[in-house]
Amino acid sequence: MKKTAYSFPEEVLEHVFSFIVSDKDRSSISLVCKSWYEIERWCRRKVFVGNCYAVSPPILIKRFPELRSVTLKGKPHFADFNLVPEGWGGFACPWIRAMAGAYPWLEEIRLKRMVVSDESLEIIAKSFKNFKVLVLSSCEGFTTEGLAAIAANCRNLRELDLRESEVEDLSGRWLSDFPDSYTSLESLNISCLGNEVNLLALERLVSRCPNLKTLRLNRAVPLDRLPNLLRGAPQLAELGTGAYTSEMRPDVFSNLAEAFAGCKQLKALSGFWDVLPSYLPAVYPVCSQLTSLNLSYATVQSPDLIKLVSLCEKLQKLWVLDYIEDDGLEILAASCKDLRELRVFPSDPFGLEPNVALTEQGLVSVSEGCPKLQSVLYFCRQMSNAALNTIARNRPNMTRFRLCIIEPRSPDYLTLQPLDDGFGAIVEHCKDLRRLSLSGLLTDRVFEYIGTYGKKLEMLSVAFAGDSDLGLHHVLSGCDNLRKLEIRDCPFGDKALLANAAKLETMRSLWMSSCSVSFGACKVLGQKMPRLNVEVMDESGPPDSRPESSPVEKLYVYRTVAGPRLDMPGFVWTMDDDSALRIS
Amino acid sequence: MDAADIKNLKATELRLGLPGTHLEENNVIITEEKSSLSSTTPVLNNNKRPLQEETSPANNKDCGSKCSNNNTDDDAAPPPSKAKIVGWPPIRSYRKNSLQEQSEAAGGIYVKVSMDGAPYLRKIDLKVYGGYPQLLKALENMFKLTIGEYSEKEGYKGSDYAPTYEDKDGDWMLVGDVPWDMFVTSCKRLRIMKGYEARGLGCAV
């Protein structure tokens, strides 16, 4: 390297780079010049891979030889709603094996929507001497035996978080495999486990780990054991209760209330399965300090909910069932001025009649009363353009807006018109909107609005909407920052897709299911775009057994530098140059 | 291959340019092609989807005939027993399971509660209440009304509302007529009657 007055020694640059943490910035640094690329890649410690098939383990390891933290995401988002069949992919094993060999000093592994085996967990447990953080979010494929391996071997483990994963719960014994000498636990989330864990082992573990800040129990932990656990960890900041019910006894209640009162640092509460309303007041002592409250499993009626929520004046995040109703949301709006995020889930998602008095009005109230509200997920049964307009004008600072009107294609209930204008107002006024989910009756016009105004939009979810390819074309050609697009049951087809093929290379992924994309168009796309993997999913048989103009069941397109994947199950076909040969 | 197909081919010709550079051209092509789009893809050219059965992708090729059936049902009310659409509403399975488990939770006795004039049905768990006073208080809170106190001779005199229930034999009774335990085991659903009917029931003892 030519040394000029302007070049710094590597060590200096490395030191400077160590202050740059965001992935985007690190990426920018690496593009400045070859020497910066080299220095940057040797000192990169943390990597985020948004699609595990966009790159391969050897490619990652070759470029970044000294990683300490890896995050991988596998299945597409719609897998959450059972739209991705079993066996589709997202296998963690090849990654874990490769990293075990390449990164002996790896400290953190975070996986989302991936298939993780007990074998993989055993490899993690044995390969990384300084392993600290394991987060398995919405993962599956492992049992409590794998957890036992982690518990027994990871001496420096700080965080074990199994959020929303599907774990085959063979026995609660695994918790006892944490040795008595193990005291470094800071965060434990076992809320997804079905069976009872060894409660004595849990109590001992909790009380001997002085830095334990987050404890999310599973439903099987009985309420009468909670006070003991809390007394063992008065420094807790985040607690997820187990089942919140017990025989109503005054001593149990007072014990519980006292234990809660002792947790002066408690900021977040969740859990609350099987809530007995008369036990809710036990948490009143901590309400005024809470910033996060997840009551989305609490099947209690609105008076009890309202009382609880109205005491939480510092609340920033609330997840709740629609039992809260419009009245409750009005009180929320009046009491919780610091609210940033609201999620309202349906208590009776498949019922035909509304079972609660929750309408668009509740959301309007919150949008009026909570100036910091920026993230919304709202399930309801009726909506109007007027309400959406009001919400948009009230909250131009909205960044995530997901509305689910339960009946597909529901029009504005007041005017019976499509909801195009309402959602149009949202994208027009909320200039920083990054995520949007649509529902209700929508024509191509809403997509024209989105393409025109949604310049910061990164993720869009669409269902049962639009009239023609024009809709899809508006989005693909207009949304400059679009990264993820997921579409189901819309009349979008070949033309918009092929006309905007180049756009797909600027995005992480596109999902289209039950749309009108033909097999022929998928082949064309796959052949012309070598840096995209165009995967067709069809459980009824090979797509080439039907005419080329037949629509494919599911289409998943993503950019990649790793070429077509080799682990596809029988119902997934990749459309690339060889596909014509391979299929016929 | 006919003229329409050739037109289609031209329209689908792939051009690798920056997004938006072919906007005008594509707009024209796309809107022009809209009608032929509907003829070449009979599957989804209308907004109505056959909600009567699960939207299985294997049915796509048959959807033409099913779709035309549904066109006539365009303005009909949703069928009484609607089959579920896969993955809709978009809720995680563990949430759905949790709600279901909790509603079937050991010992829960769930009954529907309707009130004359109110569009909302509620479901309550009778096991949660210790007796009639608690139940009535809960109903008052739920529906924002005053029911008052029960008297054997005069029912709920003084109130415009009378809580009634349908028992195992299909008879409509006034809430409070039978001992609480008997009520809990025999009540199938609750209905809060309003006005004349209510007053009639109340005094009919």
Side-chain angles (χ1 to χ4, degrees):
Chain A
M1 178 169 73
K2 193 169 156 192
K3 287 229 189 276
T4 70
Y6 302 105
S7 64
F8 293 103
E10 265 183 41
E11 298 80 16
V12 174
L13 279 173
E14 241 187 72
H15 182 68
V16 172
F17 291 174
S18 69
F19 294 99
I20 315 289
V21 283
S22 100
D23 293 322
K24 270 186 95 183
D25 292 341
R26 297 285 316 207
S27 196
S28 304
I29 292 176
S30 68
L31 294 171
V32 168
C33 62
K34 278 200 179 130
S35 61
W36 279 38
Y37 175 91
E38 278 302 304
I39 297 169
E40 194 282 319
R41 77 182 188 89
W42 278 96
C43 68
R44 176 91 67 111
R45 296 285 173 262
K46 196 168 172 172
V47 141
F48 169 80
V49 180
N51 173 6
C52 64
Y53 291 117
V55 72
S56 69
I59 294 175
L60 180 76
I61 291 168
K62 183 161 182 227
R63 180 171 173 190
F64 300 115
E66 301 269 325
L67 293 180
R68 299 273 187 276
S69 163
V70 175
T71 303
L72 298 170
K73 290 189 176 181
K75 299 184 205 172
H77 174 237
F78 274 177
D80 285 356
F81 315 125
N82 302 328
L83 288 176
V84 176
E86 280 286 308
W88 173 85
F91 304 109
C93 201
W95 287 91
I96 300 203
R97 278 187 199 277
M99 294 193 296
Y103 302 131
W105 298 110
L106 192 67
E107 296 177 3
E108 305 181 354
I109 293 178
R110 293 179 173 84
L111 305 176
K112 185 166 184 178
R113 287 193 204 97
M114 293 195 77
V115 179
V116 184
S117 61
D118 282 346
E119 191 196 345
S120 297
L121 292 178
E122 277 150 31
I123 293 175
I124 292 174
K126 306 267 170 64
S127 313
F128 308 114
K129 298 301 167 210
N130 203 22
F131 196 66
K132 297 196 172 124
V133 172
L134 182 62
V135 178
L136 301 174
S137 174
S138 303
C139 294
E140 51 164 347
F142 60 102
T143 77
T144 41
E145 288 307 303
L147 297 179
I150 299 285
N153 293 287
C154 299
R155 297 295 147 96
N156 294 310
L157 193 71
R158 304 249 172 93
E159 192 174 327
L160 178 61
D161 185 340
L162 308 175
R163 59 177 81 154
E164 297 162 25
S165 291
E166 250 181 69
V167 186
E168 198 183 331
D169 199 334
L170 301 172
S171 131
R173 189 195 45 77
W174 66 276
L175 206 67
S176 321
D177 287 336
F178 281 110
D180 290 335
S181 54
Y182 168 73
T183 58
S184 48
L185 194 62
E186 291 175 19
S187 172
L188 180 66
N189 181 350
I190 53 168
S191 54
C192 61
L193 293 182
N195 292 338
E196 203 175 85
V197 287
N198 184 326
L199 290 172
L200 219 50
L202 179 63
E203 269 172 37
R204 279 198 242 113
L205 177 65
V206 163
S207 55
R208 70 172 183 271
C209 293
N211 297 320
L212 188 67
K213 284 286 185 314
T214 299
L215 179 63
R216 301 207 194 273
L217 304 168
N218 62 336
R219 193 166 167 190
V221 175
L223 189 59
D224 53 9
R225 300 298 281 262
L226 190 56
N228 253 7
L229 286 163
L230 292 180
R231 269 187 272 274
Q235 74 284 358
L236 268 185
E238 300 181 325
L239 172 74
T241 73
Y244 204 78
T245 187
S246 181
E247 250 176 61
M248 188 56 199
R249 279 170 21 220
D251 56 320
V252 173
F253 180 88
S254 56
N255 205 8
L256 188 60
E258 229 178 271
F260 270 115
C263 293
K264 308 277 183 217
Q265 323 240 15
L266 205 53
K267 293 267 183 322
L269 273 181
S270 59
F272 295 107
W273 289 279
D274 312 306
V275 181
L276 194 59
S278 33
Y279 270 116
L280 277 177
V283 307
Y284 288 175
V286 295
C287 282
S288 59
Q289 28 183 106
L290 290 181
T291 56
S292 169
L293 186 55
N294 181 351
L295 294 168
S296 61
Y297 299 106
T299 51
V300 284
Q301 304 292 337
S302 71
D304 305 295
L305 282 176
I306 292 177
K307 182 73 218 273
L308 181 58
V309 160
S310 62
L311 293 172
C312 302
E313 52 197 31
K314 295 213 179 96
L315 209 58
Q316 295 178 15
K317 174 171 137 177
L318 176 67
W319 291 20
V320 72
L321 285 169
D322 56 9
Y323 287 125
I324 193 157
E325 299 186 323
D326 290 343
D327 284 352
L329 290 176
E330 205 179 313
I331 295 185
L332 174 72
S335 320
C336 305
K337 293 305 184 184
D338 211 17
L339 196 71
R340 323 265 164 110
E341 178 181 328
L342 174 68
R343 295 197 192 187
V344 179
F345 296 95
S347 54
D348 189 12
F350 302 114
L352 294 168
E353 303 286 335
N355 64 322
V356 289
L358 180 105
T359 68
E360 81 283 7
Q361 188 47 51
L363 187 55
V364 170
S365 304
V366 181
S367 78
E368 269 160 9
C370 301
K372 297 201 190 149
L373 185 71
Q374 18 166 258
S375 173
V376 165
L377 170 63
Y378 200 76
F379 284 82
C380 61
R381 288 194 150 89
Q382 67 184 43
M383 189 48 63
S384 67
N385 284 308
L388 283 171
N389 210 309
T390 303
I391 293 165
R393 283 169 202 275
N394 284 340
R395 295 274 63 81
N397 52 325
M398 190 81 73
T399 55
R400 293 180 200 82
F401 189 74
R402 294 193 278 164
L403 180 67
C404 179
I405 307 164
I406 289 178
E407 178 65 31
R409 301 195 188 87
S410 300
D412 176 326
Y413 78 100
L414 295 169
T415 65
L416 298 183
Q417 292 300 301
L419 289 168
D420 299 335
D421 289 342
F423 279 106
I426 295 278
V427 287
E428 186 185 346
H429 294 281
C430 307
K431 305 215 188 295
D432 291 321
L433 195 69
R434 294 198 306 268
R435 185 168 179 183
L436 178 64
S437 298
L438 306 172
S439 58
L441 182 63
L442 298 164
T443 73
D444 284 346
R445 249 187 54 240
V446 73
F447 299 107
E448 194 178 345
Y449 288 134
I450 292 173
T452 304
Y453 296 109
K455 294 306 181 189
K456 298 266 181 76
L457 200 61
E458 296 178 5
M459 181 168 177
L460 179 65
S461 309
V462 186
F464 305 103
D467 309 310
S468 75
D469 272 44
L470 201 47
L472 178 57
H473 177 71
H474 283 309
V475 172
L476 288 177
S477 59
C479 296
D480 301 330
N481 282 293
L482 196 63
R483 292 190 295 114
K484 290 180 276 185
L485 179 57
E486 45 185 27
I487 302 172
R488 61 163 297 176
D489 294 273
C490 296
F492 299 148
D494 302 345
K495 289 163 193 62
L497 191 61
L498 293 177
N500 291 283
K503 171 73 175 175
L504 300 178
E505 269 189 15
T506 70
M507 293 164 53
R508 182 187 295 174
S509 65
L510 167 69
W511 168 283
M512 291 179 75
S513 58
S514 306
C515 295
S516 314
V517 181
S518 72
F519 176 52
C522 294
K523 281 205 286 190
V524 170
L525 190 62
Q527 281 154 11
K528 299 266 180 164
M529 306 291 292
R531 286 186 303 206
L532 293 180
N533 275 357
V534 179
E535 292 180 10
V536 166
M537 248 177 277
D538 208 318
E539 285 183 285
S540 56
D544 67 338
S545 62
R546 288 182 288 284
E548 294 240 328
S549 56
S550 266
V552 299
E553 203 176 280
K554 292 168 186 164
L555 172 67
Y556 186 51
V557 181
Y558 56 91
R559 66 180 174 189
T560 181
V561 294
R565 58 182 177 117
L566 304 168
D567 62 357
M568 292 177 298
F571 54 84
V572 178
W573 287 268
T574 190
M575 311 282 110
D576 61 8
D577 285 329
D578 311 334
S579 64
L581 294 165
R582 230 187 283 140
I583 284 171
S584 52
Chain B
M1 213 196 294
D2 65 19
D5 287 340
I6 292 171
K7 239 167 119 189
N8 278 343
L9 269 184
K10 260 224 149 72
T12 59
E13 183 190 345
L14 205 46
R15 271 167 283 223
L16 299 179
L18 287 172
T21 51
H22 304 295
L23 179 56
E24 261 176 45
E25 214 176 79
N26 286 342
N27 260 334
V28 170
I29 291 171
I30 285 168
T31 47
E32 254 181 27
E33 295 293 65
K34 191 172 173 178
S35 51
S36 51
L37 175 67
S38 358
S39 64
T40 50
T41 53
V43 174
L44 288 158
N45 61 342
N46 63 339
N47 282 335
K48 271 286 189 228
R49 297 268 301 171
L51 293 179
Q52 279 85 348
E53 65 272 313
E54 228 171 60
T55 316
S56 142
N59 289 337
N60 270 351
K61 55 180 182 218
D62 301 324
C63 204
S65 51
K66 286 183 184 154
C67 273
S68 51
N69 280 343
N70 284 314
N71 275 337
T72 59
D73 289 342
D74 259 343
D75 301 315
S81 59
K82 186 171 74 174
K84 295 177 193 173
I85 303 172
V86 176
W88 192 268
I91 305 174
R92 304 285 305 272
S93 319
Y94 64 79
R95 278 196 190 283
K96 286 188 275 194
N97 295 342
S98 171
L99 284 175
Q100 215 170 338
E101 279 163 24
Q102 290 187 79
S103 75
E104 290 163 9
I109 300 179
Y110 284 85
V111 296
K112 288 195 179 149
V113 187
S114 62
M115 180 171 95
D116 293 351
Y120 304 103
L121 274 184
R122 308 303 169 93
K123 255 193 220 160
I124 59 171
D125 177 5
L126 293 178
K127 270 278 169 115
V128 167
Y129 307 103
Y132 284 121
Q134 290 97 319
L135 172 64
L136 293 174
K137 190 92 210 297
L139 291 176
E140 285 180 335
N141 279 337
M142 217 179 271
F143 293 98
K144 318 274 184 296
L145 42 81
T146 320
I147 299 176
E149 274 179 35
Y150 172 80
S151 98
E152 225 182 280
K153 290 215 183 88
E154 296 175 333
Y156 293 90
K157 185 174 175 189
S159 169
D160 274 338
Y161 299 95
T164 65
Y165 71 100
E166 187 183 0
D167 73 2
K168 281 202 180 110
D169 303 323
D171 298 322
W172 283 91
M173 314 269 284
L174 194 62
V175 168
D177 278 349
V178 304
W180 173 255
D181 292 327
M182 195 187 293
F183 163 74
V184 165
T185 50
S186 64
C187 171
K188 268 171 53 188
R189 58 186 162 128
L190 283 159
R191 177 182 158 202
I192 301 179
M193 286 191 194
K194 193 179 172 183
Y196 173 74
E197 254 189 297
R199 283 190 277 276
L201 242 187
C203 297
V205 180

